Amino acid sequence: MTHVLDASTASRFAGAALGHVTREYPNKMDHVLSGPADVQGPRAVHPIFFGSFDWHSCVHGWWTLFTLLRLYPDMPEADRISTLADELFTPENIAAETAYLDRPGSRGFERPYGWAWLLMLAAELARHDDGRRARTFAPLTGAFAQRFRDFLPLAAYPVRVGTHYNTAFALRLTLDYAEGAGDADLADQCRERATLWHAADRDCQAWEPSQDEFLSPALMEAALMRRVMAPDAFADWFDAFLPRLAEREPATLFRPASVSDRSDGKIAHLDGLNLSRAWCWREIATALPADDSRRAIALEAARTHLDAALPHVTGDYMGEHWLASFALLALLADPER
């Protein structure tokens, strides 16, 4: 199986994302009701990110679309992506999405997973040639960046679960935004928290996977520290973090998760775990010297996980509404790219 992003794969992922970013129902809202007036449907409260089963999946569905549009501007889906973006990414809709954050019950809305993906989308918009959409998007970008600045000093502890609350994943994505945007204060905050939380971690036991995880708590932490530390320092840290890597231990990190029912939204998370592990293994490999035996081991593990997961990115809506984003993360992390 090919493990590279090509035009055919890009078109398949784009078609899947276009099929769900405007599909309003079914929908699992993160919406606190403070009174009868708050009983509203997804599109009424989120005029851009109302599809894809939940707000954060719609956000990273759009990240997928804009990323593919930049990389493959002549893809068959390009005109549909641009037309739909022009319809939805208007100043009025962005103002409404931003105003939602000021509601009394919205302090914890989508923290930290949705926050990080929103900033990842903002970073992608900034890569497009004219910067028009990035400028229009700026009020929402600024609001979520400020949420991180306010929250990180309060976050005394990391969250190591393999689901949406994982803080290593959130910092890893937010660093991409902060460094690209020249937001040195936010980037420094991310590095400071990562160092505080993880620099002393040793001999990871890797108690995973859990039944509904889509992130590896162990590998996500390593991928974050790869971004935070200088290469030599990371190599030393990683050696202490997974000291039995040469023996492929802990064995669970090298064995793809088994997915028993892809129509069950929680169980389908495990396809995402396999994709996000592949992404992490590839990112880790890029930080290791070419002659480091651990690099080959990491790349082999990435291939094994991609083989297990890529055939299932599309097929059932419970996975299809979000898996392409994680497949894209993994494919773009190709060390040979």
Side-chain angles (χ1 to χ4, degrees):
M1 178 181 297
T2 180
H3 295 158
V4 298
L5 181 66
D6 56 21
S8 175
T9 302
S11 183
R12 179 165 71 97
F13 289 176
L18 283 167
H20 64 71
V21 291
T22 57
R23 179 174 171 175
E24 188 171 2
Y25 298 103
N27 202 295
K28 183 177 182 294
M29 296 180 71
D30 179 3
H31 181 57
V32 176
L33 302 179
S34 298
D38 290 333
V39 182
Q40 300 181 74
R43 191 160 192 167
V45 293
H46 297 299
I48 301 175
F49 304 118
F50 57 86
S52 307
F53 191 72
D54 46 39
W55 187 90
H56 53 255
S57 295
C58 198
V59 170
H60 62 75
W62 275 108
W63 171 81
T64 298
L65 289 172
F66 280 117
T67 301
L68 295 173
L69 181 63
R70 173 174 55 85
L71 296 174
Y72 294 93
D74 298 322
M75 63 172 14
E77 296 78 12
D79 287 345
R80 289 173 59 201
I81 296 170
S82 295
T83 298
L84 185 58
D86 286 341
E87 291 175 4
L88 295 180
F89 285 71
T90 64
E92 295 76 17
N93 285 349
I94 288 162
E97 292 277 1
T98 306
Y100 183 83
L101 303 179
D102 294 330
R103 297 173 65 255
S106 294
R107 179 177 180 179
F109 171 72
E110 291 286 351
R111 186 177 75 196
Y113 182 79
W115 297 9
W117 269 117
L118 190 287
L119 294 181
M120 193 75 160
L121 172 57
E124 178 55 39
L125 292 176
R127 297 184 186 103
H128 289 243
D129 291 340
D130 61 8
R132 171 177 58 90
R133 287 200 177 98
R135 291 190 294 273
T136 304
F137 205 61
L140 193 56
T141 303
F144 277 98
Q146 188 59 47
R147 292 206 150 196
F148 266 115
R149 292 189 203 97
D150 293 340
F151 172 68
L152 287 177
L154 306 177
Y157 309 105
V159 180
R160 301 175 187 268
V161 298
T163 56
H164 306 86
Y165 306 102
N166 183 283
T167 46
F169 177 84
L171 293 189
R172 167 64 189 82
L173 265 58
T174 301
L175 267 171
D176 273 6
Y177 160 77
E179 292 180 352
D183 189 337
D185 289 342
L186 181 55
D188 286 346
Q189 278 189 290
C190 290
R191 295 189 196 98
E192 184 273 335
R193 286 292 108 171
T195 301
L196 175 69
W197 291 339
H198 302 304
D201 288 356
R202 299 290 185 270
D203 196 11
C204 178
Q205 300 303 299
W207 299 112
E208 56 178 87
S210 296
Q211 184 59 50
D212 72 344
E213 287 184 332
F214 61 91
L215 298 169
S216 163
L219 296 179
M220 198 67 250
E221 176 180 335
L224 171 63
M225 298 308 283
R226 195 276 308 180
R227 284 288 274 104
V228 167
M229 305 177 82
D232 289 347
F234 172 75
D236 291 341
W237 177 90
F238 188 56
D239 191 46
F241 183 66
L242 292 177
R244 294 175 298 282
L245 187 71
E247 290 78 43
R248 290 166 175 76
E249 292 288 344
T252 186
L253 298 180
F254 299 89
R255 184 171 56 245
S258 175
V259 187
S260 59
D261 184 354
R262 291 185 168 86
S263 68
D264 184 299
K266 291 290 190 178
I267 296 175
H269 275 182
L270 294 167
D271 277 320
L273 174 66
N274 290 334
L275 291 168
S276 65
R277 279 184 176 180
W279 170 49
C280 291
W281 278 125
R282 283 182 156 196
E283 290 223 322
I284 290 164
T286 64
L288 300 173
D291 60 353
D292 189 324
S293 61
R294 294 175 299 174
R295 179 182 171 94
I297 293 171
L299 292 176
E300 178 188 26
R303 286 191 294 270
T304 301
H305 282 82
L306 286 170
D307 282 342
L310 283 177
H312 307 294
V313 170
T314 56
D316 190 286
Y317 182 67
M318 295 315 294
E320 189 171 274
H321 77 269
W322 65 280
L323 284 172
S325 297
F326 281 82
L328 188 56
L329 284 173
L331 294 178
L332 292 178
D334 182 1
E336 308 303 322
R337 191 178 167 82

